Amino acid sequence: MTDLNQIGKAAQKAEFELGQLGTLQKNKALVKMADDLEKNSSAILAANAKDLANAKANDMTQAMQDRLLLDDDRIKGMADGLREIADLEDPIGKIDRGWTTEDGLDIVQERVPLGVIGIIFEARPNVTVDAAGLCFKSGNAAFLRGGKEAINSNIALSDTLRASLKESGLDENAVQLVHDTNHEVAQEMMELSEYLDVLIPRGSGRFIKMVVNKAKVPIIETGAGNCHIYVDEFADLDKALKIIINAKVQRPSVCNAAEKVIVHQSVAATFLPTLVKELRKHNVEIRGDQETQDLIDNVIPATEEDWSTEYNDYIIAIKVVSDLDSAIKHINKYNTQHSEAIITDNYQNSRQFQKQIDAAVVYVNASTRFTDGNKFGFGAEIGISTQKLHARGPMGANELTTTKYLVNGNGQIRE
């Protein structure tokens, strides 16, 4: 069985060495990693083809296969993400604040790495690159464990990054991938508090809940996205249609895809027939409450379970409400605090929605698909934090830091 203690020791050593690197050294290494990904694309795609073949043999859904798929454009996207991370301001050494106390002590609060960051994730091989790049930029060692669905892809990607680090004269153990995908190894990693400073799970809501319940290492919760779009009585309906179609069908398997549509009753009879017709063109299954069933033929009755389910598929549930307050109450009851949106031309309603919705990201007149580290200007993301402590929303390099206080005195003692 894989010796996680050995990996942990190597990660701690690498993290210490990372802390001694300057910004230019880190940026140069990130650019080389990006270049090497593109140079090694043939081998990476060959490994990904093995994973896709296994996925098809195991009847993985088409939407989930899309999460797994790599192609030249996606490899280029990962490489460009590393280059964008290199271009970002280095968070390490950044001073948050400074002051002098009444005792004459000079205190500054400075940004430092979290340390060794464990990432447990499912079938998205791009996480290997995004996590490695962001951890490296912020001076953290990346301790990665992906799912069996993407193991060949993850090995090819991590081997490329490690070889790039070695060729740059740096410790390749700044990026380490656990090759053993057995559940027992994952459980052991969740308890590796001697070496891991924080653990970040990425995957389905069920997977994240399992990690949270079993881990002994501090957790940053990410990912599960039961995202809603509310069409207000003052909505531009053409705009609403365009946004919902984008949010649902562009990539239904990702956490920022829309899973529910809430519609004000005054526009439901006008809007829902058009919306459902367009959704069905994209083979989206429609589930709905009684009001939706009364307006639209062949709607599957939505159950209580539907309202709290993240489908990750071509399925959507629709609810008609009497007012904005009802929409907010429903969303706050069932959402996963990820991303929520209102479509409205009424400023007061938009402000109320943004103030009262409990979520990491709240949109007005825009698709939930923008909740993404790259789209937020972070180059990539380590995940979308849906908790409230430390970080919330897309997490870039800055969110992978903590602070220490540097105190300088001149012989002071406390009386």
Side-chain angles (χ1 to χ4, degrees), residues 276 280 286-289 292-293 296-302:
V276 170
R280 284 175 171 164
I286 310 299
R287 304 180 186 182
D289 63 358
T292 303
Q293 296 171 56
I296 306 295
D297 292 334
N298 301 317
V299 170
I300 298 171

Side-chain angles (χ1 to χ4, degrees), residues 30 34 37 74-88 129-130 133-134 374 378-381:
L30 284 164
L37 278 178
R74 289 188 179 179
I75 290 176
K76 184 179 185 304
M78 289 188 288
D80 286 344
L82 290 176
R83 295 182 184 107
E84 289 177 32
I85 293 170
D87 287 339
L88 294 174
V129 177
D130 291 351
L134 288 168
N374 185 272
F378 302 159
E381 69 185 34

Side-chain angles (χ1 to χ4, degrees), residues 1-4 144-146 148 151 155 177-186:
M1 184 175 284
T2 301
D3 188 348
L4 296 189
L144 308 168
R145 192 271 185 187
K148 64 181 180 180
I151 186 59
I155 289 173
L177 175 75
V178 178
H179 290 200
D180 191 333
T181 59
N182 287 327
H183 292 301
E184 293 81 6
V185 174

